[in-house]
Amino acid sequence: TVPGVFVLVLDVTERRRMEASLAAAHAELEKHSQLLEATVAERTSRLREAVGELEAFSYSIAHDMRAPLRSMQGFSRLLLEEHAAQLDANGSSYLRRIVASSDRLDRLIQDVLNYSRVVRQDLRMEKVDTQKLVDDIIATYPNLQSPRAEIFVEGPLPPVDANPAALTQVISNLLGNAVKFVRPGTLPRVRVAATKRYQKSADGQVTWVRLEFHDNGIGIPRDAQHRLFAMFQRLHRPELYEGTGMGLAIVRKAVERMGGKLGVESEENRGSCFWVELRAEETL
């Protein structure tokens, strides 16, 4: 038997060419990816700078508007108090309208400033005694006290991790709305309660405290609820329920900046329940 020799010849030229093309494509893709990341970072930085400048500008404008507005309010009231007898009925009516309009503008400016402060200021988080805070707010605001309203606090409310000033704005706005948006002749009744929710995380278990504000008000149509927390949103005519449309926008921004959540459950003519979720102090 004659031994044979088997020879296999492979041409790897095409494979090497494809590998080189693939490597070049990967390098080009990586180059474009880095360029895109740099472009996004630069534009994000510019956008943040522009937003910061706009916020500072709006805050400055709103703040500076208060001085001339206060002069208008002061002189208008002086005219009414000291010279009303020299005016006819139409003149007095016009002057009262000026006073009322300047008061509404002043409230709007104050709310814009409050919103700007929540957006701009550093919020230092700490343990907040929610029970004491709610009790203090009720004791401070006459419209939240008997006989104007009945507010029941199902305590003790658990402490939360929050910024005291921001949480004060949140609770005072929610309680103020709860007693305001009722039908004429109806005594506002509000129930404040708290529940806990537990959530698993990479660091273990996080405890959330949900503060709930139940009222006997006019309720909110479902198709309007998605607009509630936007700026300058009003669901009712000013002559029915006064306000600037900024209160719930301030609540939303404050809660977001404290790392919490908020929402509403409501039906028209059946009252509302606004809720805010913040981390429990015990989980820190």
Side-chain angles (χ1 to χ4, degrees):
T1 303
V2 180
V5 177
F6 180 76
V7 179
L8 177 64
V9 179
L10 296 176
D11 186 357
V12 297
T13 304
E14 182 63 19
R15 187 180 70 181
R16 289 179 177 175
R17 187 184 66 80
M18 292 181 62
E19 289 176 348
S21 298
L22 184 60
H26 277 299
E28 187 68 17
L29 183 61
E30 180 66 22
K31 177 182 177 181
H32 282 293
S33 176
Q34 293 176 356
L35 179 62
L36 179 61
E37 289 180 2
T39 302
V40 170
E42 180 184 1
R43 293 183 178 177
T44 300
S45 177
R46 290 180 180 178
L47 179 61
R48 287 175 178 169
E49 182 179 355
V51 170
E53 292 176 352
L54 182 59
E55 290 173 350
F57 175 75
S58 63
Y59 181 86
S60 177
I61 290 296
H63 184 272
D64 292 345
M65 285 175 63
R66 297 198 72 189
L69 179 61
R70 289 294 175 86
S71 295
M72 293 169 57
Q73 290 175 304
F75 285 119
S76 297
R77 288 192 171 90
L78 282 175
L79 280 173
L80 276 177
E81 294 171 3
E82 299 181 5
H83 303 281
Q86 302 175 33
L87 300 174
D88 59 15
N90 285 336
S92 297
S93 175
Y94 296 153
L95 196 52
R96 283 193 292 271
R97 293 181 187 183
I98 292 174
V99 172
S101 296
S102 62
D103 288 344
R104 284 197 297 271
L105 181 57
D106 189 36
R107 288 194 296 270
L108 177 58
I109 292 174
Q110 290 183 53
D111 281 346
V112 170
L113 291 174
N114 287 335
Y115 184 88
S116 298
R117 291 189 188 100
V118 170
V119 171
R120 290 163 52 83
Q121 70 184 359
D122 293 329
L123 297 186
R124 185 172 61 87
M125 306 292 280
E126 61 184 72
K127 175 182 177 180
V128 177
D129 186 340
T130 312
Q131 179 71 49
K132 183 178 185 304
L133 182 61
V134 171
D135 291 341
D136 289 346
I137 291 173
I138 294 173
T140 303
Y141 291 81
N143 63 315
L144 302 180
Q145 302 168 16
S146 180
R148 297 185 182 181
E150 292 182 356
I151 299 181
F152 306 93
V153 181
E154 296 182 356
L157 303 177
V160 297
D161 180 45
N163 175 268
L167 188 55
T168 298
Q169 283 195 319
V170 168
I171 295 175
S172 60
N173 269 295
L174 293 179
L175 287 176
N177 282 351
V179 301
K180 178 170 68 173
F181 291 100
V182 297
R183 294 198 175 281
T186 301
L187 177 66
R189 289 187 172 88
V190 184
R191 180 171 62 88
V192 182
T195 59
K196 288 186 177 181
R197 179 174 67 86
Y198 303 96
Q199 179 184 24
K200 291 184 178 179
S201 69
D203 300 327
Q205 181 174 268
V206 177
T207 303
W208 295 87
V209 172
R210 173 177 286 203
L211 300 174
E212 300 176 348
F213 302 83
H214 302 261
D215 65 54
N216 64 333
I218 57 178
I220 306 159
R222 291 186 182 276
D223 59 357
Q225 293 178 15
H226 69 283
R227 297 190 287 117
L228 278 177
F229 300 102
M231 297 176 64
F232 305 115
Q233 291 296 318
R234 294 183 53 86
L235 304 184
H236 309 282
R237 299 194 308 273
E239 60 268 23
L240 294 179
Y241 300 98
E242 65 175 14
T244 62
M246 286 291 294
L248 290 179
I250 294 172
V251 170
R252 172 184 59 82
K253 182 57 65 175
V255 171
E256 287 177 354
R257 294 219 47 210
M258 291 188 290
K261 303 175 183 178
L262 79 162
V264 62
E265 299 169 5
S266 181
E267 293 184 27
E268 195 170 9
N269 301 317
R270 301 190 65 178
S272 303
C273 172
F274 284 84
W275 56 265
V276 172
E277 273 193 355
L278 295 168
R279 283 176 64 116
E281 194 276 335
E282 65 193 39
T283 63
L284 301 180

